[in-house]
Amino acid sequence: MSEQLGTLEELPQAYRDDMTRAGVAPLWPMMRNVLPHGAPNPITRPGHWRFDAVRPLLLRAGELTPVEKAERRVLVLSDPGRGTGAMQATASIYLGLQLLLPGESAPAHKHTPSAARIVVEGSGGYTVVDGEKLPMQDGDLVLTPGGDWHDHGHDGDEPVIWLDALDLPLFVYLEGSYAIEGPLQTRRNRPDAAHVEYAAAGLVPSRGPAAATRRYPMMRFPWARTEAALREMARFADGSVAELDFINPETGTDVLPTMGFTAMMLAEGQSDRPPLRSSSAAFHVVRGRGTTVINGETVAWGPKDTFTAPVFADLTHTATEESFLVRIHDRPLQDKLGYYEERSR
Ligand code: 1HN
């Protein structure tokens, strides 16, 4: 273990001035800021966004700002550790709640960051990704991978609201974030791949040598299937928590390069104390009610709420009624960088 490092103030003022003029600075006074001992020191603070509180604000945005003036009509969920207006909910994950009114459409664009939506309210909304129309029902997970054209539309008669999750902060940090706008896409006249090619888990289109698999073969994960799978798993789980990862059915890998999605079911009264994970996370409550203690802070969540946990957070979830949550996390990114870690407590 190294001893206390030297400070800037210990250095002669003339030397400090000369360094500034030369455009250099000593590392040792700043070393522990970027390399704390033993574990990271996150800026991210736990956040909790009650749907009941945000929903009226979002509907008001629908009255105040036509979609043409917004491109995407979204209220951003800012990390409390960074302050309102921060374009991130954790270091790597951006979250926003988006509203589309009946008859509206959000124009086509493609961008470097990847996105996924979890549908929160309303039916009749859809996203078109690379010519494939993806209907959006409550709880569905819909992907718009980086570089793929996407636009949103709405054939129903009630407002549609969904949660957007993007790896935008990474792309902003890398100075790699930009979009290209285009005309609305023409759509293939067939249902999406969740119906056509990937209707059943464990079955994929036959793979001849010429099979050209799309990079993102399945871009919609219907909630009804996820819930049914969790329920069956929970029946035989012997008290442990039923958790399922969303995967690319062709490769078995995470659905997006940096973001992972994990669905979880908690029975009424059930508690879960996961290991401390090096990944940061956002939890979206598809249905149910309960509490999560995050580093000693209690979040009392209800249906359609969203809350976040920093890296290595100490979490205890307790459901006061049967609950379904989707955890959005950056474990796939950390796996690729080779540092994902779980610590027991
Ligand atoms: C975006 O493209 C969408 O396509 C939503 O719906 C939110 C936030 C930042 C950058 C791009 C969308 C976004 C976004």
Side-chain angles (χ1 to χ4, degrees), residues 34-156:
V34 292
L35 281 180
H37 284 300
N41 184 17
I43 297 167
T44 307
R45 294 281 158 255
H48 178 204
W49 297 269
R50 284 175 218 282
F51 187 62
D52 287 349
V54 182
R55 184 178 186 275
L57 298 173
L58 199 49
L59 293 176
R60 185 83 175 115
E63 296 164 1
L64 295 171
T65 305
V67 74
E68 296 75 23
K69 287 265 185 195
E71 188 164 327
R72 298 294 190 262
R73 194 194 285 112
V74 175
L75 296 182
V76 176
L77 278 46
S78 296
D79 165 28
R82 294 176 166 89
T84 310
M87 293 278 283
Q88 57 199 111
T90 76
S92 71
I93 302 168
Y94 158 101
L95 298 175
L97 281 163
Q98 181 162 173
L99 170 72
L100 203 60
L101 294 170
E104 287 186 337
S105 61
H109 67 188
K110 60 179 181 175
H111 40 67
T112 46
S114 286
R117 339 269 164 199
I118 298 174
V119 185
V120 181
E121 176 182 310
S123 59
Y126 60 86
T127 293
V128 184
V129 183
D130 241 357
E132 185 159 294
K133 182 176 176 178
L134 308 166
M136 298 169 92
Q137 306 286 348
D138 242 19
D140 286 1
L141 178 71
V142 171
L143 309 180
T144 54
D148 279 3
W149 288 104
H150 56 284
D151 56 74
H152 310 298
H154 191 349
D155 295 331

Side-chain angles (χ1 to χ4, degrees), residues 8-345:
L8 201 56
E9 291 69 33
E10 287 165 8
L11 299 169
Q13 187 61 48
Y15 175 62
R16 287 163 63 183
D17 293 345
D18 287 346
M19 281 195 292
T20 303
R21 267 189 293 278
V24 297
L27 171 62
W28 56 98
M30 313 186 280
M31 185 95 170
R32 287 291 160 247
N33 301 346
V34 292
L35 281 180
H37 284 300
N41 184 17
I43 297 167
T44 307
R45 294 281 158 255
H48 178 204
W49 297 269
R50 284 175 218 282
F51 187 62
D52 287 349
V54 182
R55 184 178 186 275
L57 298 173
L58 199 49
L59 293 176
R60 185 83 175 115
E63 296 164 1
L64 295 171
T65 305
V67 74
E68 296 75 23
K69 287 265 185 195
E71 188 164 327
R72 298 294 190 262
R73 194 194 285 112
V74 175
L75 296 182
V76 176
L77 278 46
S78 296
D79 165 28
R82 294 176 166 89
T84 310
M87 293 278 283
Q88 57 199 111
T90 76
S92 71
I93 302 168
Y94 158 101
L95 298 175
L97 281 163
Q98 181 162 173
L99 170 72
L100 203 60
L101 294 170
E104 287 186 337
S105 61
H109 67 188
K110 60 179 181 175
H111 40 67
T112 46
S114 286
R117 339 269 164 199
I118 298 174
V119 185
V120 181
E121 176 182 310
S123 59
Y126 60 86
T127 293
V128 184
V129 183
D130 241 357
E132 185 159 294
K133 182 176 176 178
L134 308 166
M136 298 169 92
Q137 306 286 348
D138 242 19
D140 286 1
L141 178 71
V142 171
L143 309 180
T144 54
D148 279 3
W149 288 104
H150 56 284
D151 56 74
H152 310 298
H154 191 349
D155 295 331
D157 44 25
E158 297 289 334
V160 160
I161 297 173
W162 64 75
L163 178 72
D164 291 313
L166 283 85
D167 52 11
L168 179 71
L170 299 173
F171 285 78
V172 171
Y173 185 75
L174 295 170
E175 300 185 333
S177 186
Y178 68 96
I180 295 171
E181 288 77 35
L184 285 185
Q185 305 163 76
T186 48
R187 296 167 209 158
R188 279 191 291 282
N189 187 24
R190 43 157 266 179
D192 68 280
H195 276 273
V196 179
E197 286 95 0
Y198 305 101
L203 293 173
V204 301
S206 185
R207 302 159 168 186
T213 306
R214 291 192 292 167
R215 218 155 50 101
Y216 298 97
M218 183 167 167
M219 292 185 290
R220 181 171 85 96
F221 295 78
W223 175 255
R225 290 185 198 174
T226 310
E227 181 174 327
L230 285 170
R231 282 188 186 286
E232 280 310 300
M233 206 173 165
R235 277 179 62 199
F236 301 98
D238 271 339
S240 66
V241 171
E243 270 195 305
L244 292 166
D245 288 338
F246 293 89
I247 59 160
N248 178 323
E250 291 286 353
T251 61
T253 56
D254 297 295
V255 291
L256 290 173
T258 72
M259 284 188 294
F261 303 86
T262 301
M264 174 167 100
M265 177 181 171
L266 290 164
E268 183 181 337
Q270 190 172 16
S271 272
D272 182 39
R273 290 195 84 193
L276 310 185
R277 300 178 171 114
S278 58
S279 49
S280 67
F283 295 84
H284 179 69
V285 184
V286 176
R287 198 156 67 242
R289 227 170 259 286
T291 59
T292 297
V293 183
I294 309 170
N295 296 333
E297 228 177 278
T298 302
V299 170
W301 41 263
K304 302 179 187 294
D305 286 4
T306 301
F307 59 97
T308 50
V311 298
F312 288 108
D314 181 337
L315 300 175
T316 305
H317 308 288
T318 307
T320 49
E321 56 186 67
E322 181 184 80
S323 298
F324 295 91
L325 285 80
V326 176
R327 178 163 55 93
I328 304 165
H329 53 81
D330 51 8
R331 195 259 305 136
L333 170 72
Q334 297 190 0
D335 272 344
K336 291 187 176 77
L337 295 178
Y339 81 98
Y340 178 70
E341 180 194 355
E342 296 184 350
R343 294 186 188 173
S344 53
R345 21 163 125 245

